[in-house]
Amino acid sequence: MTEQALRALFDALSQEEKIGQLLQLEAGFFAQSDFQTGPAAALGLQAQDAALCGSVLNLRGAEEAKAVQARFIRQHPHHIPLLLMLDVINGYETAFPIPLAQACSFRPELTQALCAAAAREASADGLHVTFSPMADLAADCRWGRVMESSGEDPLLCAAFSAAAVRGYQGDDLAHGGTLAACGKHFAGYGAPLAGSEYAQVELSPAAFQSDYLSGYRACIGAGSRLMMTAFNTVDGIPASGSKPLLRDLLRGQLGFEGLLISDYSAIAEMIRHGYAEDRRSAARLALEAGVDMEMVGVCYVRELDALVRSGEIPQRLIDEAAWRVLKLKNDLGLFEDPYRGADAEKFRACALENRTLAAQAAAETFVLLKNDGGLLPLGAQKAAFIGPYAESRALHGAWSFFCREADTVSIRQGVEALGKAAAFCKGAPLLAPGAIIPGFSADYVESETEETQATLLREAVRAASAAETVVLCLGEQRLQSGEGGSRAEPVLPAPQMQLLRAVRDVNPNIVLILFAGRPLLLRDVLPLCKSLLYVWFPGSMGGAAIAEVLYGEKEPVGRLSMSFPASVGQCPISYRALNTGRPEALVPTGRFHNGYQDCPSAPLFPFGFGLSYSAWQCGPLTADRAAFASGEHLVLTCTVRNIGRRKSSTVLQLYLQDVCASVCRPRRELKDWHHVTLAPGAETAVSFEVTERMLQFYGPDGALRAEAGEFRAYAGFDSGTQNACAFYFQ
Ligand code: BGC
């Protein structure tokens, strides 16, 4: 409807209806007929709240969505439709690789295509809004939600966050087949102390501005219609009630004009944080800070009216928030078509169609970490596929609620589809017998017993002895990462380590395939295998893509979006650390240098690392001039050669270092990259254009600046490259 008509509708609403728009309920509560007992009553919900609420969380199914919407509109005094929201993170029923893996493709356009595909599928199932992308910068692999992030680098994080928003929302939100995006979690959620879920966040103003805001800025720049607050405190203030963070920074400085939703019950949780005395003060703090909608909580519906009546908050704040909800509904076209093309058949067709994309995408995200002796790609040798992931179909990561395992392609199916003869056995339980991982809805309980574990191990040793090559398929259980998935020791589960050692005793030709939602600690694992392919959680078509890569039909082309620590003591670890006054390289002996006595300071694998099936070399990096000034640019060039025996692709990465600045700058920062594909023996010159924009950084005051002086440039195949040259900016 026109803005004028929307205004007229808004003006006709009662206070109760306006406040109702600010409430989001779980589908379960909403469907309740009895508000006297059960979880709705425990939360303090009343039937009238459900009748007037603005949005529903986790309602799925085209037919169900249409029925609920029709009923709701009919009974609502002004027939205002509901907003249906859900976490569509890496695909929907057809699961794509987890976001951390997508970032390893170094192809934001891939993520854009995946998010557009997920939006088509999920909107056909009745949804309007997805709580994605997660734009939190994450450098600590103890934190379970790194799986949902784009990793440790601000540029990569910004590029992938923006691409996701563009993919979900398309060019025109009113056009069906799209979802409104919600950048989250504002702010700093990816830096919880010691990687512990929901823990406090303490960041320097410089790191916060320059690094941690990058993903959110990108979401806003790409037009994300919603943003979500974070559960954590930032410098002692819960994000969901922080006026400086939300009203001043998010809305004021960053210019966000869309709908700001709290995270799940985060407004009431300010009481437990020790920041709000009670529900009433929590409601006041959140609304004053600028939170428009409360996700599953009753602070707003129970308290806002009284707060206005007592004069503690102005009516204007409620009006602004309710207006934003109506505006989003209107932009989504809900007043014209409250179902937005929800259609069960269309949904089925989209889910099926998305499988092709899922297979292509998965192969772009695998990272080859080791290939000694060139065991990969596999040839005609007799291979035994051993491990709990050899035949598993649970390849979709913690945030895929609707992925159907029955439709997922396992490694075994992928290998057999290629017509390869191989033996398969489980070898070990995923976790220790009896272990339980609490789930989002259902828990994972390891069903193998100590007796069956021993039998599995015996079978595995037999199969490994009879094979030329063993492909060990190991990894984390999918619920070990994701929300609530912090791990103090993110190692391979003990029964799988035992399997690895036992197999290694009888056959050293081990190709290890690792599934995980995070970088695992691999120091003890690495010496036990000859090849190591990291496949994250690859989604519905994972097994097909893995088989193609193993047998060389495709090449592993992923590059790490997070550094892999050598020890948990290094966490959080990032290649972008600042220099100390005593770097290890410059103080090589004695004790008074940066780092550890019992562990190197370098990661096990650096950010940007990844091997291919060929070998690559790059020539010296040169600049076309010694200096450039504002408004000009400079060109850096180096020659890249495929020195291996097969056609191959790599990612040439450009890093810059601002040698001396008013705020210490990282040792190096990713600034650009090029994908290069060459025939064996071929070479090409690759150039990067360096502009003033690339030299800029945000000061602690939030102002963007480029400072004159010396810069060092590095180009190579990972963040550890020493291929460097210098230039000046005047
Ligand atoms: C998570 C959010 C998510 C929300 C709704 C919360 O627990 O932190 O990322 O969008 O639940 O499912």
Side-chain angles (χ1 to χ4, degrees):
M1 65 174 80
T2 62
E3 174 136 352
Q4 204 183 5
L6 195 67
R7 266 287 158 215
L9 171 64
F10 180 79
D11 291 341
L13 298 183
S14 66
Q15 178 77 324
E16 204 185 9
E17 285 172 83
K18 286 180 187 167
I19 293 174
Q21 289 301 312
L22 313 187
L23 170 66
Q24 178 174 72
L25 287 182
E26 274 270 12
F29 293 143
F30 185 77
Q32 281 220 336
S33 51
D34 179 10
F35 280 82
Q36 311 302 314
T37 57
L43 194 69
L45 273 176
Q46 295 165 8
Q48 183 67 353
D49 301 328
L52 294 182
C53 81
S55 172
V56 175
L57 170 66
N58 292 340
L59 180 74
R60 83 157 297 212
E63 295 316 316
E64 177 71 1
K66 284 197 274 193
V68 168
Q69 187 74 293
R71 235 182 8 248
F72 184 86
I73 294 173
R74 215 176 310 122
Q75 55 81 41
H76 189 278
H78 284 91
H79 311 296
I80 298 180
L82 288 161
L83 273 169
L84 306 188
M85 309 196 192
L86 196 140
D87 297 86
V88 179
I89 308 292
N90 44 294
Y92 191 59
E93 197 170 280
T94 295
F96 299 138
I98 57 171
L100 186 62
Q102 290 179 32
C104 292
S105 70
F106 274 62
R107 288 192 190 279
E109 66 279 11
L110 176 74
T111 285
Q112 183 167 339
L114 293 177
C115 292
R120 280 194 295 278
E121 193 184 318
S123 66
D125 206 34
L127 294 169
H128 309 146
V129 174
T130 174
F131 293 130
S132 176
M134 191 181 96
D136 305 313
L137 198 73
D140 193 331
C141 67
R142 290 171 297 183
W143 190 49
R145 294 192 84 167
V146 297
M147 62 149 291
E148 247 178 291
S149 78
S150 307
E152 75 185 51
D153 183 72
L155 184 67
L156 218 53
C157 175
F160 278 83
S161 301
V165 170
R166 284 195 294 269
Y168 290 129
Q169 297 190 162
D171 296 332
D172 177 9
L173 207 53
H175 195 260
T178 55
L179 294 174
C182 177
K184 65 190 188 183
H185 306 81
F186 199 82
Y189 182 46
L193 203 64
S196 165
E197 184 65 293
Y198 314 129
Q200 69 207 61
V201 169
E202 314 278 346
L203 289 168
S204 73
F208 190 64
Q209 278 290 345
S210 264
D211 307 342
Y212 282 83
L213 290 184
S214 61
Y216 316 121
R217 270 198 191 98
C219 289
I220 296 167
S224 184
R225 294 308 179 105
L226 297 94
M227 293 291 284
M228 188 188 292
T229 67
F231 282 128
N232 52 277
T233 57
V234 178
D235 297 339
I237 314 278
S240 302
S242 170
K243 209 165 159 210
L245 200 63
L246 304 180
R247 203 168 278 281
D248 301 344
L249 177 61
L250 177 67
R251 293 229 186 261
Q253 236 176 287
L254 305 184
F256 176 61
E257 291 177 350
L259 183 75
L260 180 60
I261 186 166
S262 77
D263 203 343
Y264 202 109
S265 73
I267 296 182
E269 287 175 20
M270 290 197 287
I271 303 170
R272 291 202 193 133
H273 276 290
Y275 186 64
E277 281 164 14
D278 50 20
R279 234 165 44 181
R280 186 179 171 115
S281 75
R284 180 179 55 75
L285 286 163
L287 194 73
E288 280 175 353
V291 181
D292 299 315
M293 184 176 273
E294 180 173 14
M295 188 193 297
V296 191
V298 293
C299 298
Y300 276 13
V301 278
R302 286 289 80 80
E303 312 294 343
L304 286 187
D305 187 37
L307 282 164
V308 173
R309 284 175 197 278
S310 67
E312 285 167 85
I313 55 168
Q315 175 65 35
R316 178 180 50 84
L317 295 187
I318 291 178
D319 287 351
E320 277 173 12
W323 172 254
R324 286 197 195 99
V325 180
L326 288 196
K327 175 103 177 51
L328 178 62
K329 291 182 177 179
N330 196 33
D331 290 350
L332 281 158
L334 287 177
F335 291 107
E336 285 75 26
D337 174 8
Y339 314 119
R340 285 188 91 240
D343 176 341
E345 261 178 47
K346 189 162 81 183
F347 161 63
R348 283 264 130 261
C350 281
L352 206 61
E353 192 183 296
N354 285 348
R355 289 171 72 79
T356 311
L357 193 56
Q360 285 165 1
E364 301 252 0
T365 65
F366 303 156
V367 187
L368 183 62
L369 293 176
K370 182 176 180 183
N371 199 16
D372 284 1
L375 266 191
L376 287 179
L378 295 175
Q381 73 263 49
K382 196 168 157 228
F385 285 73
I386 300 175
Y389 276 107
E391 298 185 57
S392 168
R393 289 168 157 188
L395 310 183
H396 47 287
W399 272 105
S400 297
F401 302 122
F402 309 120
C403 170
R404 296 201 304 199
E405 289 185 20
D407 294 340
T408 296
V409 177
S410 68
I411 293 185
R412 178 175 192 153
Q413 288 169 304
V415 170
E416 289 178 347
L418 293 184
K420 306 288 178 187
F424 295 86
C425 67
K426 184 169 175 183
L430 257 177
L431 302 175
I436 298 176
I437 309 277
F440 287 57
S441 48
D443 297 348
Y444 176 82
V445 182
E446 181 51 67
S447 56
E448 300 291 355
T449 62
E450 282 174 17
E451 292 75 56
T452 58
Q453 181 181 353
T455 312
L456 292 174
L457 192 62
R458 274 196 301 276
E459 279 167 15
V461 169
R462 218 176 303 129
S465 313
E468 284 169 64
T469 304
V470 180
V471 182
L472 266 182
C473 309
L474 310 180
E476 279 192 310
Q477 204 282 331
R478 54 181 280 274
L479 294 173
Q480 287 186 287
S481 55
E483 185 174 356
S486 288
R487 296 181 65 194
E489 292 280 341
V491 292
L492 211 51
Q496 299 188 47
M497 268 316 277
Q498 201 184 335
L499 170 67
L500 173 57
R501 292 203 171 97
V503 166
R504 160 73 194 222
D505 285 346
V506 296
N507 190 339
N509 293 326
I510 296 176
V511 172
L512 186 55
I513 313 279
L514 278 183
F515 290 79
R518 49 156 62 85
L520 290 171
L521 297 168
L522 299 178
R523 204 162 48 164
D524 297 340
V525 169
L526 208 55
L528 301 177
C529 64
K530 287 195 174 163
S531 300
L532 173 52
L533 184 70
Y534 217 79
V535 297
W536 310 100
F537 283 109
S540 302
M541 298 299 286
I546 291 169
E548 286 180 333
V549 169
L550 284 179
Y551 286 96
E553 300 208 351
K554 286 188 178 157
E555 204 191 15
V557 290
R559 301 294 182 261
L560 294 179
S561 52
M562 272 185 92
S563 310
F564 274 48
S567 153
V568 77
Q570 294 176 327
C571 293
I573 184 167
S574 165
Y575 81 94
R576 297 178 72 262
L578 305 187
N579 263 328
T580 69
R582 298 174 177 194
E584 202 174 359
L586 298 183
V587 191
T589 54
R591 60 187 298 132
F592 300 109
H593 58 70
N594 170 240
Y596 308 93
Q597 287 195 347
D598 53 356
C599 168
S601 38
L604 193 63
F605 295 109
F607 172 86
F609 180 81
L611 302 169
S612 22
Y613 283 159
S614 198
W616 289 86
Q617 208 174 51
C618 94
L621 182 65
T622 54
D624 69 340
R625 51 168 116 173
F628 79 105
S630 188
E632 301 173 353
H633 69 268
L634 168 144
V635 177
L636 296 167
T637 305
C638 76
T639 302
V640 174
R641 246 174 253 114
N642 178 352
I643 55 167
R645 282 198 297 261
R646 51 181 283 162
K647 184 178 173 199
S648 176
S649 299
T650 191
V651 183
L652 186 72
Q653 302 154 36
L654 175 72
Y655 297 87
L656 295 183
Q657 181 199 3
D658 189 342
V659 176
C660 180
S662 58
V663 180
C664 295
R665 303 298 303 144
R667 285 176 226 168
R668 52 183 72 183
E669 297 179 273
L670 180 71
K671 292 294 173 182
D672 200 1
W673 63 88
H674 284 302
H675 292 266
V676 183
T677 301
L678 288 176
E683 68 173 44
T684 188
V686 180
S687 293
F688 296 97
E689 193 178 284
V690 179
T691 60
E692 181 181 359
R693 178 71 195 86
M694 285 183 183
L695 313 184
Q696 290 174 329
F697 63 93
Y698 289 94
D701 55 357
L704 200 58
R705 70 197 73 193
E707 295 179 0
E710 184 186 353
F711 287 79
R712 235 165 261 153
Y714 298 84
F717 303 117
D718 63 60
S719 58
T721 174
Q722 293 303 327
N723 186 20
C725 73
F727 64 85
Y728 286 83
F729 178 66
Q730 294 159 337

